[in-house]
């Protein structure tokens, strides 16, 4: 069987941890040459080491995707070191502990979350799209969240607003580039067991408030999201653009959760 990303170059942001790291190794095992970008340089290098040890091809880039020139550096690494750009997995995101209710979230936290989670996605698209066009087209996968579709059980206004923005932005992007060979879809994961949720899950009260809303009764695993990302990144989803793929253990389908 042909590898599902054979001959493609994929950029993955936030590739140093959680969903991004698992996706980077999965995409590489499916034949992609990978740019693993992360604001934590060593984490990006560790992901690349895993890929190379497994026989894959990857380069690490230390970059803060909320900075225009650093986002551009990531795409330059794809074109100059790996020869093109076909898949852009905009996965990097943050969920600070002091992101809470409407009245108590500090404005500086709001700005930081918006800059990374929303503006960062746009900056990476802005920097990557010309390279994607030059490479003959491609697929953009933006990570939103189930909270872009329903309100969260624990207050986190900045994060939720940023992910709603990612979803709306992805639709605009999809329509603008539909006839130019670039597809764009959003992924909406439910709660996934990764370092991002560590703080929230450490508090038994907040953890239970999350779990009680998941029909499957458990958190997701990073590979369960990475496999959905692989589908959207590959040509298997060739007639999909502007969609929101929900990977949430049934949260958004349920009005009441079964016992
Ligand atoms: P994670 O914290 O394990 O990994 C996120 C990675 O992004 C980290 O390596 C971090 O260093 C990197 N990063 C943070 N800011 C960055 C920046 N400015 N520039 C470049 N890299 C940066 O988190 P995760 O759970 O794997 O999350 C991945 C994505 O999935 C995020 O967009 C997150 O919002 C989304 N998501 C996660 C969950 C969940 O429950 N874990 C649910 C829905 C959506």
């Amino acid at each position: 069987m042909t590898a599902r990303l054979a001959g493609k170059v994929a950029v993955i942001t936030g590739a140093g941890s959680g969903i991004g790291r698992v996706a980077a190794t999965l995409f590489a095992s499916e034949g992609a040459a990978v740019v693993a970008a992360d604001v934590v340089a060593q984490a990006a290098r560790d992901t690349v080491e895993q890929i190379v040890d497994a026989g894959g091809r990857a380069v690490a880039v230390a970059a803060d995707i909320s900075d225009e020139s650093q986002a551009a550096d990531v795409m330059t690494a794809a074109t100059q070191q790996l020869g093109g750009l076909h898949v852009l997995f905009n996965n990097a995101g943050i969920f600070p502990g002091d992101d809470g209710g409407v009245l108590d979230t500090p404005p500086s936290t709001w700005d930081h979350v918006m800059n990374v989670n929303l503006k960062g996605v746009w900056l990476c698209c802005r920097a990557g799209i010309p390279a994607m066009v030059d490479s003959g087209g491609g697929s953009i996968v933006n990570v939103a969240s189930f909270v872009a579709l329903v309100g969260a059980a624990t207050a986190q206004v900045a994060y939720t607003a940023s992910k709603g923005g990612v979803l709306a932005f992805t639709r605009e992007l999809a329509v603008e580039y539909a006839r130019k060979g670039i597809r764009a879809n959003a992924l909406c994961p439910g709660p996934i067991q990764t370092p991002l949720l560590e703080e929230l899950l450490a508090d038994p009260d907040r953890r239970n408030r999350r779990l009680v809303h998941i029909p499957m009764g458990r958190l997701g695993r990073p590979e369960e999201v990475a496999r959905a990302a692989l589908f959207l990144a590959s040509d298997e989803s060739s007639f999909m653009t502007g969609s929101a793929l929900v990977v949430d253990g049934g949260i958004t389908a349920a009005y009441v959760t079964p016992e």
Side-chain angles (χ1 to χ4, degrees), residues 42-43 56 77 81 87 108 135-136 143-144 154 158-160 166 169 171 222 250 258:
Q42 188 56 49
Q81 295 186 54
V87 171
S108 56
S135 305
V143 180
T154 50
Y159 183 86
T160 295
V166 169
F169 168 71
R171 287 190 288 258

Side-chain angles (χ1 to χ4, degrees), residues 9-11 35 75 77-86 131-132 135:
V9 176
V11 162
V35 175
M75 309 309 152
T79 53
Q80 294 194 350
Q81 295 186 54
L82 299 175
L85 179 59
H86 309 95
M132 237 178 205
S135 305

Side-chain angles (χ1 to χ4, degrees), residues 47-205:
T47 298
V48 165
E49 197 179 307
Q50 276 184 25
I51 292 172
V52 171
D53 285 351
R57 194 167 166 222
V59 295
V61 179
D64 174 352
I65 49 113
S66 66
D67 178 273
E68 187 180 354
S69 75
Q70 294 183 48
D73 290 345
V74 175
M75 309 309 152
T76 304
T79 53
Q80 294 194 350
Q81 295 186 54
L82 299 175
L85 179 59
H86 309 95
V87 171
L88 173 52
F89 184 31
N90 282 314
N91 162 79
I94 55 168
F95 180 35
D98 60 354
D99 180 8
V102 172
L103 302 188
D104 51 22
T105 299
S108 56
T109 298
W110 175 277
D111 288 344
H112 188 203
V113 169
M114 287 297 169
N115 280 337
V116 176
N117 291 8
L118 182 54
K119 188 179 178 191
V121 169
W122 168 59
L123 288 177
C124 285
C125 290
R126 197 168 190 273
I129 284 172
M132 237 178 205
V133 169
D134 286 349
S135 305
S139 173
I140 299 175
V141 183
N142 294 331
V143 180
S145 166
F146 75 102
V147 300
L149 302 166
V150 294
T154 50
Q156 43 174 60
V157 291
Y159 183 86
T160 295
S162 73
K163 295 301 189 179
V166 169
L167 195 54
F169 168 71
T170 304
R171 287 190 288 258
E172 286 278 318
L173 177 66
V175 172
E176 185 177 346
Y177 282 91
R179 296 191 181 197
K180 295 174 184 148
I182 295 177
R183 299 183 297 108
N185 292 285
L187 252 185
C188 296
I192 310 297
Q193 188 91 44
T194 72
L196 185 102
L197 285 192
E198 232 157 59
E199 209 169 318
L200 186 146
L201 298 177
D203 173 347
D205 233 37

